[in-house]
């Protein structure tokens, strides 16, 4: 893809701070550095989002994530946790449409970063939950 900023980074048309690279995967520091060490892991193959992955690409990319996460943990002993985030489509906050996984080291609860998971469980009956699960299972 010619207009993709991540493809341009992979092709060295735009500089980046590389932390890992092999023939299929490229990982580099996110220029925003939400926290120190914020890293993006991307497939070299241009895919827009998780919905375009096949099993081989998913296995290849996701198998590198723990290796890079361990490198972050070893590099930053004060890191107390790690958020792994993959946004897919605009509504889910995807802003670059080349699939990427954020590895965001967490150092304290005071980091300028937060995620909220609302509890909406009481909005569904057990029958509705069973139907939701059944629908998903049928589509796997």
């Amino acid at each position: 893809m010619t207009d993709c900023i991540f493809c341009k980074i992979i092709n060295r048309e735009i500089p980046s701070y590389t932390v890992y690279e092999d023939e299929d995967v490229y990982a580099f520091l996110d220029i925003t550095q939400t926290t120190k060490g914020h890293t993006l892991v991307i497939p070299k193959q241009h895919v827009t989002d998780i919905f375009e992955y096949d099993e081989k690409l998913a296995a290849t990319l996701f198998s590198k994530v723990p290796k890079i996460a361990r490198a972050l943990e070893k590099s930053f002993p004060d890191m107390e946790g790690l958020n792994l985030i993959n946004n897919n489509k605009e509504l889910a906050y995807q802003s670059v449409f080349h699939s990427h996984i954020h590895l965001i080291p967490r150092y304290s609860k005071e980091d300028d970063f937060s995620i909220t998971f609302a509890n909406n469980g009481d909005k569904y009956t057990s029958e509705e939950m069973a139907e939701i699960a059944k629908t998903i299972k049928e589509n796997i």
Side-chain angles (χ1 to χ4, degrees):
M1 169 161 279
T2 57
D3 290 351
C4 174
I5 191 168
F6 287 175
C7 289
K8 289 178 180 181
I9 288 171
I10 292 165
N11 293 325
R12 307 297 197 269
E13 297 170 36
I14 296 174
S16 67
Y17 298 97
T18 306
V19 299
Y20 176 83
E21 182 176 14
D22 64 26
E23 65 184 44
D24 301 306
V25 174
Y26 191 76
F28 58 100
L29 294 180
D30 188 307
I31 198 144
T32 67
Q33 285 298 284
T34 299
T35 63
K36 180 178 65 182
H38 179 175
T39 298
L40 300 178
V41 182
I42 65 173
K44 286 186 171 179
Q45 174 186 338
H46 182 88
V47 291
T48 303
D49 54 36
I50 195 77
F51 303 107
E52 293 183 8
Y53 281 61
D54 60 23
E55 287 185 14
K56 183 177 185 277
L57 179 59
T60 299
L61 183 79
F62 284 95
S63 70
K64 306 304 180 192
V65 170
K67 177 181 200 159
I68 299 164
R70 285 189 296 272
L72 288 167
E73 186 176 45
K74 190 173 184 180
S75 299
F76 306 112
D78 54 336
M79 187 176 100
E80 295 182 21
L82 179 82
N83 286 102
L84 179 70
I85 300 174
N86 175 239
N87 303 325
N88 296 280
K89 301 195 183 288
E90 192 172 350
L91 182 65
Y93 305 109
Q94 185 177 5
S95 60
V96 176
F97 295 94
H98 181 126
S99 185
H100 54 287
I101 299 169
H102 295 261
L103 279 64
I104 304 174
R106 301 301 301 274
Y107 300 96
S108 75
K109 290 184 179 184
E110 285 73 46
D111 290 341
D112 190 19
F113 175 76
S114 65
I115 297 175
T116 303
F117 293 96
N119 182 350
N120 292 307
D122 59 352
K123 293 181 180 180
Y124 301 94
T125 65
S126 60
E127 292 80 15
E128 289 171 319
M129 293 290 280
E131 186 60 32
I132 292 168
K134 179 179 177 242
T135 301
I136 295 169
K137 283 182 196 178
E138 289 171 351
N139 285 289
I140 291 180

